[in-house]
Amino acid sequence: MRAGRFTGYTLGGFQKDVTSGMVVGIVALPLAMAFAIASGVRPEYGIYSTIIAGFLISFFGGSRYQIGGPTGAFVPILFGIVMQYGYENLLIAGFLAGILLVIMGLLKIGSFIHYIPRPVTIGFTAGIAVLIFVGQIAPFLGLHNLKPQEEFILKFKEIIVNLGSINFYALLTSAICFGMICISLRFLPKIPWALLGLVLSTLIPTLFFPTEVATIGSTFGSIPTHFPPFQFPDLSWSKIVELLIPACIIAMLGGVESLLSALVADGMTNHRHHSNRELIGQGIANMVTPLFGGIPATGAIARTATNIKSGAVSPLSGMIHSLFVLIVLISLFSYASHIPLASMAPILMVVAWNMSERKEFLHVLRSKTEDSWVLLSTFLLTVIFDLVVGVLTGLALSFLLFTIRMSKEFRVRKLHLKNHHEQCQQNLVSYSGPNVQVCLLNGPIFFGTAKQLHQLLKAQENGILVLCMDKVPYMDTTGEQIFSHLFSHIHKKGNKLIITGIQQQPKEVIQKICHLNKIDENEFFSTGMQKELDGHIDLNHLWTCAQKSH
């Protein structure tokens, strides 16, 4: 199947892949360093992740165009893990997350991730964007000596308290970078905006006020131009237990982000990705990357879109992008020490703005439906607490609202045919049988509709009860329990039950009940009954069918 991603590959395609790979590599360089610094680690760790994870995601993944590496969505998560557990444990958590992603792919969970409600996805993405943006206010203004804070409210309070210590040289540097980004996006769309802003906002301070702003070199020291030695993590059982929750968070976010990116790529091209293979590729990449000091990575939507727009035709473009970054690391990365930290802040702020999905956010919010509440809950809890609380609350609220909505969709039309002679008189000559009660059920029978169905069946009178179930697509174990009680109740009273038009899944549930209760299922299934319920009802024929089924 992997060979299918190179079907019809030509020399012209290779040339396009080389070009697009170099373009994406240029775009990825400043982002990799910025994401690493914002995550609380050294900038080269983001470069390592771009090189190793980027190559492996393209090689093993399930998309032709996916570009992998560190992303903005990971920034608040990784920063929190570094703050609480430290960088070394972040590597272990990333390794465990890789294992979890591989397991998810092998268990074919990739398709289920697509069922996460859209308001939840928009909510936590917008929440992450806010966290990234607020996290860059301090470096944008050149604020220093701030206490590192993981919680949003405390972080924002720390910024407000220290507003009096603004470094105007840093603010000027940030403004230069931001201005060049705006100019590039507006008038020079083919030039990588992040690189242009970074180069010019580095050049001007270096020439005119080199000692007035904090740089990568003054903050982190010299930047190595080689990979760190291979080191396998210390996977003691106590360490695994300690880091299992952070690993699950990384795996969940990485899986969702990568598949969303792959879906974007599908929408821009005529090719479809393989979800489970993509998860396996992401898992392998995140297992290998920490062994060389790299931070967790996932599919990058913006870089994937850039890859497609640059003419990529195969996964080779993603591998070339990684090799390009490797060449830059070896030959030119010593100059990175001159980059001001203030130059990174506007880049990440623009990333946050682009990933915020503000149009979708406002669209759902203005709809004033249940989805609006799901969106707001996920967004606010992600910002105030963390991603896990936001997503779990959003999912729980979505499930609750869906259950209520489906419960309202369940309909029961109840006919007491003994009192509806006008409906039957066209084909009824005389009728001397017992009372017949017909219930037309419409909608799924599950725990959300159990109360309504239970009250209906509890009120059934003596005689024949006919359940028309052709519009019941599904029945869960709660419905199974109600029907089991119904069968016992009917037999005790000596009444008769006819079920007609039943679909396959509810029929299997009913048959299971009949088997467990040692009841002959022929007593409950009658052929040719549906036509009797669709229009004019012949009660004599109905009574005959009931006697035959008995």
Side-chain angles (χ1 to χ4, degrees):
M1 292 296 291
R2 184 155 50 244
R5 299 188 298 168
F6 292 92
T7 301
Y9 197 66
T10 63
L11 179 60
F14 175 74
Q15 292 173 339
K16 291 181 180 179
D17 282 337
V18 170
T19 301
S20 60
M22 294 177 63
V23 171
V24 177
I26 293 172
V27 172
L29 272 166
L31 294 178
M33 292 187 291
F35 291 144
I37 293 172
S39 299
V41 300
R42 293 176 60 87
E44 63 265 29
Y45 299 153
I47 299 295
Y48 300 155
S49 181
T50 298
I51 296 171
I52 300 172
F55 187 93
L56 294 176
I57 287 172
S58 294
F59 186 81
F60 289 105
S63 172
R64 284 193 178 194
Y65 309 101
Q66 184 81 281
I67 299 295
T71 65
F74 269 145
V75 166
I77 306 301
L78 302 188
F79 181 80
I81 295 174
V82 171
M83 286 284 295
Q84 184 173 354
Y85 299 98
Y87 167 68
E88 296 295 332
N89 286 329
L90 170 64
L91 298 182
I92 297 176
F95 181 83
L96 295 175
I99 296 176
L100 293 174
L101 283 166
V102 171
I103 293 174
M104 289 165 63
L106 294 175
L107 294 178
K108 303 186 184 303
I109 297 178
S111 56
F112 291 100
I113 293 181
H114 297 300
Y115 294 105
I116 295 178
R118 184 64 177 155
V120 175
T121 304
I122 297 173
F124 80 71
T125 302
I128 290 173
V130 170
L131 292 174
I132 294 173
F133 191 93
V134 171
Q136 296 309 304
I137 294 176
F140 189 97
L141 300 176
L143 303 180
H144 57 279
N145 297 326
L146 273 68
K147 296 179 182 178
Q149 300 288 352
E150 183 179 352
E151 296 182 13
F152 173 80
I153 296 177
L154 296 178
K155 183 182 295 184
F156 198 79
K157 179 182 177 182
E158 192 72 15
I159 294 172
I160 299 297
V161 170
N162 289 274
L163 280 178
S165 61
I166 293 177
N167 183 334
F168 289 97
Y169 290 101
L171 179 59
L172 176 59
T173 302
S174 299
I176 293 171
C177 183
F178 182 72
M180 294 312 303
I181 289 174
C182 293
I183 291 173
S184 176
L185 291 173
R186 180 68 178 87
F187 301 105
L188 304 169
K190 293 185 178 181
I191 297 178
W193 55 269
L195 185 64
L196 181 62
L198 189 66
V199 170
L200 291 179
S201 63
T202 299
L203 183 61
I204 293 175
T206 302
L207 293 176
F208 296 102
F209 42 90
T211 61
E212 300 297 334
V213 294
T215 64
I216 289 179
S218 65
T219 305
F220 299 100
S222 60
I223 306 297
T225 57
H226 55 81
F227 279 106
F230 174 89
Q231 185 175 356
F232 196 81
D234 177 21
L235 288 179
S236 62
W237 179 252
S238 60
K239 188 69 69 175
I240 293 175
V241 173
E242 179 186 9
L243 298 173
L244 185 59
I245 293 180
C248 290
I249 297 173
I250 294 173
M252 184 200 73
L253 181 58
V256 172
E257 191 77 8
S258 64
L259 294 181
L260 286 177
S261 178
L263 281 175
V264 170
D266 291 350
M268 298 176 67
T269 64
N270 294 322
H271 298 277
R272 295 188 62 184
H273 73 282
H274 191 291
S275 298
N276 296 310
R277 188 181 299 119
E278 181 65 25
L279 290 181
I280 293 173
Q282 296 284 341
I284 293 173
N286 280 286
M287 289 173 63
V288 176
T289 302
L291 305 181
F292 296 94
I295 60 178
T298 185
I301 296 176
R303 275 161 278 171
T304 299
T306 302
N307 187 41
I308 296 171
K309 292 178 181 178
S310 300
V313 296
S314 80
L316 193 60
S317 62
M319 303 176 210
I320 292 173
H321 123 273
S322 299
L323 295 176
F324 179 83
V325 175
L326 174 61
I327 294 172
V328 173
L329 171 68
I330 296 173
S331 59
L332 300 174
F333 211 62
S334 57
Y335 297 103
S337 59
H338 299 290
I339 298 174
L341 296 183
S343 299
M344 297 291 186
I347 294 174
L348 288 177
M349 285 179 166
V350 172
V351 169
W353 177 258
N354 290 336
M355 70 178 288
S356 63
E357 300 199 62
R358 55 197 178 278
K359 293 182 180 179
E360 290 286 337
F361 189 97
L362 292 175
H363 174 72
V364 176
L365 201 61
R366 289 168 179 166
S367 67
K368 296 181 180 180
T369 61
E370 295 93 340
D371 288 341
S372 303
W373 290 106
V374 174
L375 175 72
L376 276 177
S377 301
T378 306
F379 170 73
L380 292 175
L381 293 175
T382 298
V383 171
I384 297 173
F385 295 100
D386 57 45
L387 177 69
V388 176
V389 175
V391 171
L392 291 181
T393 302
L395 291 175
L397 187 57
S398 297
F399 175 75
L400 177 62
L401 293 174
F402 175 78
T403 301
I404 294 173
R405 192 180 302 126
M406 292 302 297
S407 300
K408 292 180 179 179
E409 290 296 321
F410 184 71
R411 296 285 185 272
V412 178
R413 184 185 174 194
K414 194 173 182 180
L415 301 176
H416 293 277
L417 299 184
K418 187 175 182 179
N419 301 319
H420 287 75
H421 296 294
E422 69 279 357
Q423 182 180 8
C424 311
Q425 62 185 0
Q426 292 187 20
N427 61 355
L428 176 63
V429 178
S430 62
Y431 175 65
S432 58
N435 176 47
V436 177
Q437 178 176 299
V438 178
C439 294
L440 309 179
L441 308 184
N442 189 341
I445 298 176
F446 68 113
F447 61 90
T449 59
K451 182 178 180 180
Q452 184 179 354
L453 181 62
H454 180 74
Q455 291 176 344
L456 164 74
L457 300 180
K458 185 178 180 181
Q460 68 102 11
E461 303 172 3
N462 293 330
I464 303 173
L465 174 62
V466 180
L467 297 181
C468 182
M469 297 179 62
D470 63 314
K471 294 183 179 180
V472 177
Y474 172 78
M475 181 189 300
D476 71 354
T477 53
T478 304
E480 175 185 347
Q481 184 182 34
I482 292 176
F483 270 80
S484 180
H485 291 162
L486 172 66
F487 293 163
S488 299
H489 179 68
I490 284 178
H491 274 268
K492 287 180 181 179
K493 297 185 69 173
N495 296 331
K496 294 180 174 61
L497 172 68
I498 298 177
I499 297 177
T500 180
I502 192 166
Q503 297 188 35
Q504 184 61 33
Q505 193 276 340
K507 181 177 181 180
E508 292 175 356
V509 175
I510 296 291
Q511 289 173 327
K512 179 181 177 182
I513 298 172
C514 295
H515 174 72
L516 293 176
N517 290 275
K518 297 180 180 179
I519 302 171
D520 182 6
E521 67 181 52
N522 291 326
E523 185 173 351
F524 305 111
F525 295 90
S526 174
T527 59
M529 290 298 302
Q530 186 62 43
K531 64 180 181 180
E532 301 298 330
L533 300 173
D534 287 338
H536 304 293
I537 301 175
D538 187 336
L539 296 183
N540 286 315
H541 179 63
L542 184 64
W543 173 233
T544 302
C545 290
Q547 289 178 314
K548 289 181 179 179
S549 66
H550 187 65

